[in-house]
Amino acid sequence: MAGYAPHMTSFWSTDAVLPTRLPLSDDIEVDTVVIGAGLVGLTSALLLAERGRAVAVLEARRVGAVTTGASSAKISLLQGTRAQAIANRHGTRALSRYVAANRAGFDWLLEFCAAHEISAQRVPAITYAQQPRESAAVRAEFEATRAVGLPTQLVDELDVPFPAYGGVRLPEQAQVDPVAVLAAMAADVEANGAQIFESTRAHRLRHEGERVVVTTDNGQVTASNAIVATGSPVFDRRGLAARLVPERSYLAAFDVPGQVPEEMFLSAGSPTRSLRWAPTETGRVLLVGGSGHVVGRADGEARHVADLLNWANRWFPGAELLDRWSAQDYHPIGELPYVGPVGPGGDRVRCATGFAKWGMTNGVAAALTLVGRITGTPPEWARVYDTWRPGVVGTLRAGAEANATVAWHLSSGWLHAVEGGPSLPPREGEGRVERHGLHPTAVCTVDGRTDAVSPVCPHLWGIVNWNDAEKTWDCPLHGSRFAPDGSVLEGPATAPLSPREL
Ligand SMILES: Cc1cc2nc3c(=O)[nH]c(=O)nc-3n(C[C@H](O)[C@H](O)[C@H](O)COP(=O)(O)OP(=O)(O)OC[C@H]3O[C@@H](n4cnc5c(N)ncnc54)[C@H](O)[C@@H]3O)c2cc1C
């Protein structure tokens, strides 16, 4: 199957030169197989390799190809309105542990950057009210963060060109280039004797006695432990996907005439507006993010992109667009991330997920937890990532709502799929689900080529929707995304959409 490059690459990836790594080509045996070369996978691999463990990393695409390489990469203990959400659901003690976990991730990551001469700019983080009605959330965030000892301050006036009605501020946070971090980490992983295989998608995982066997197209890896660091966990035998809402957001980088705001900003309400800057040889570039939605459930993704670009152009007149891209992360319905077994009763296969767009610190803390559990020395705060109990989804209101919505999309996708479609191929950049004989078929035309594939997501049989901003097929159930030719881009699916004859 010919591979399509995704249509938008992140500002960080545009000029980054990362060595290409060969795919797995044989059967191998290691102590731990790590699936996924994002921040969680590479940090875990590095920690294990430094302890002398034999490690292999399997990456379906390239190092950093998915969420980490497209992240805003703010490294912050003030995380929008997460503190109040966690304290309201789990109480102040759990929030304290969450902050301790994130502080450990923060410290580890900044030490890594310092040791590898990766520039990390120390700047304040601000959660701000973009409308007067968001002031209550700002105040609540101040109180929740203060209650667990973070030195946040309330600020009435913000020196920004866009509407802002005060905010809560935490000094001395940080921002980095996430691709630079991953590039250095991957090199360090290899320098410590571990192997990274790119273009190697893990398709199956099975247990053989005390061992775990992971199957790919070109060989298998046998190991004592597996770390599933794939964002949304693949090989999910606990129904973890039902506790995650996949959220896609848009980002853009601008050359701005005049001053770029010094701090990192995140709005307290919707539509989300996230700002930070990045240093370049010619000056500071402004990064703006937001306008998110649940994956596969937008009424036109291109409109979300336009909304974000219009906002930036309105408040930063003359801003010149350099790059635009998008990415997704997984919001846990129970508010806390999860680090633990992928299947019931099996401690050999663990995953980390549910970072709610705060994976730079949570992701490193998750890796410290995963490795601590494998080596028998988990950090004291690690139990904050233990809270997901089997069977609890239906008892949470957010879980019941999320799953009712998934069920609605499951049935409505099938209904729309069989409505019958016109016979002319879609126009350039368009895609639709049609009926061809008895089979619903997803047809699209991109770069002059028309492809037809099954619209049924192999993860849990949702019907994919066309993403008109990125020219991809996106599943509205659990966030799997596919290229026009059906190959997997991201999400919990491990198999492509099967090809169809037109
Ligand atoms: C728009 C946006 C902005 C964000 N901004 C911030 C921020 O400012 N600060 C912050 O702290 N967090 C932020 N985040 C969140 C943070 O970037 C993520 O939580 C974090 O990068 C997740 O890392 P990961 O290693 O879990 O996943 P990823 O980086 O997605 O890595 C997973 C890897 O697994 C691979 N993979 C998947 N399936 C398979 C398979 N079957 N076999 C082999 N490999 C596989 C993928 O190809 C991928 O490379 C943001 C997220 C988004 C979406």
Side-chain angles (χ1 to χ4, degrees), residues 35-41 58-76 79 182 200-203 229-231 234-235 247 249-251 326-329 352 355-362 489 491 493-494:
I35 305 170
L39 186 62
V40 175
L58 307 181
E59 166 53 48
R61 292 171 57 180
R62 301 280 315 274
V63 165
V66 181
T67 308
T68 309
S71 177
S72 313
K74 299 172 181 172
I75 304 176
S76 178
Q79 302 181 342
L182 291 187
T200 302
R201 186 169 294 277
H203 292 299
T230 54
V234 295
F235 315 127
E247 293 183 345
S249 292
Y250 300 90
L251 297 113
S326 64
Q328 70 195 42
D329 208 12
F355 302 138
K357 301 201 189 98
W358 289 105
M360 296 304 292
T361 45
N362 275 301
L489 291 174
T494 55

Side-chain angles (χ1 to χ4, degrees), residues 61-401:
R61 292 171 57 180
R62 301 280 315 274
V63 165
V66 181
T67 308
T68 309
S71 177
S72 313
K74 299 172 181 172
I75 304 176
S76 178
L77 300 181
L78 176 65
Q79 302 181 342
T81 54
R82 300 295 302 136
Q84 58 195 282
I86 291 169
N88 289 346
R89 177 68 61 84
H90 298 278
T92 305
R93 269 185 69 192
L95 177 61
S96 277
R97 283 203 190 104
Y98 177 84
V99 171
N102 279 264
R103 194 187 298 282
F106 182 107
D107 291 344
W108 190 95
L109 194 50
L110 288 191
E111 272 168 34
F112 179 87
C113 289
H116 293 78
E117 295 181 2
I118 296 167
S119 161
Q121 304 88 49
R122 299 303 295 264
V123 289
I126 295 182
T127 302
Y128 77 99
Q130 60 188 335
Q131 314 203 25
R133 66 167 184 268
E134 292 174 15
S135 299
V138 164
R139 170 117 224 147
E141 197 63 13
F142 169 70
E143 283 163 7
T145 47
R146 277 286 176 152
V148 292
L150 287 175
T152 45
Q153 310 143 351
L154 280 175
V155 273
D156 294 333
E157 301 270 313
L158 297 173
D159 184 17
V160 290
F162 48 85
Y165 299 85
V168 51
R169 180 178 186 272
L170 184 62
E172 282 292 298
Q173 304 308 292
Q175 52 184 25
V176 288
D177 170 345
V179 171
V181 171
L182 291 187
M185 225 175 241
D188 235 11
V189 166
E190 290 170 329
N192 278 279
Q195 295 166 284
I196 301 174
F197 300 100
E198 292 187 325
S199 307
T200 302
R201 186 169 294 277
H203 292 299
R204 282 189 58 220
L205 180 148
R206 67 178 194 277
H207 293 264
E208 268 184 12
E210 299 288 282
R211 309 286 275 167
V212 174
V213 181
V214 176
T215 313
T216 78
D217 279 340
N218 300 313
Q220 61 182 33
V221 184
T222 305
S224 305
N225 297 282
I227 290 179
V228 178
T230 54
S232 175
V234 295
F235 315 127
D236 168 14
R237 289 171 49 231
R238 282 174 79 134
L240 300 173
R243 297 155 178 257
L244 296 165
V245 179
E247 293 183 345
R248 197 141 191 96
S249 292
Y250 300 90
L251 297 113
F254 296 95
D255 207 349
V256 175
Q259 285 285 94
V260 171
E262 181 67 28
E263 296 102 332
M264 303 185 288
F265 292 90
L266 185 60
S267 60
S270 297
T272 303
R273 297 291 174 241
S274 166
L275 291 90
R276 61 159 283 188
W277 55 270
T280 69
E281 279 169 13
T282 51
R284 290 181 179 185
V285 163
L286 175 70
L287 303 189
V288 180
S291 291
H293 56 80
V294 178
V295 178
R297 299 189 205 165
D299 187 14
E301 283 80 357
R303 281 203 302 185
H304 288 256
V305 175
D307 175 53
L308 186 73
L309 299 185
N310 289 341
W311 184 90
N313 283 314
R314 176 165 183 202
W315 301 111
F316 296 91
E320 184 198 334
L321 181 66
L322 302 175
D323 288 296
R324 68 177 174 85
W325 69 100
S326 64
Q328 70 195 42
D329 208 12
Y330 301 87
H331 192 108
I333 57 173
E335 300 300 348
L336 284 168
Y338 174 72
V339 182
V342 174
D347 278 358
R348 297 190 174 280
V349 184
R350 294 186 175 89
C351 68
T353 190
F355 302 138
K357 301 201 189 98
W358 289 105
M360 296 304 292
T361 45
N362 275 301
V364 173
L368 293 166
T369 301
L370 289 162
V371 171
R373 296 232 187 272
I374 289 173
T375 55
T377 52
E380 201 278 323
W381 41 258
R383 65 191 132 128
V384 75
Y385 294 134
D386 271 352
T387 61
W388 295 21
R389 306 263 172 260
V392 88
V393 179
T395 64
L396 294 172
R397 193 164 148 232
E401 282 170 11

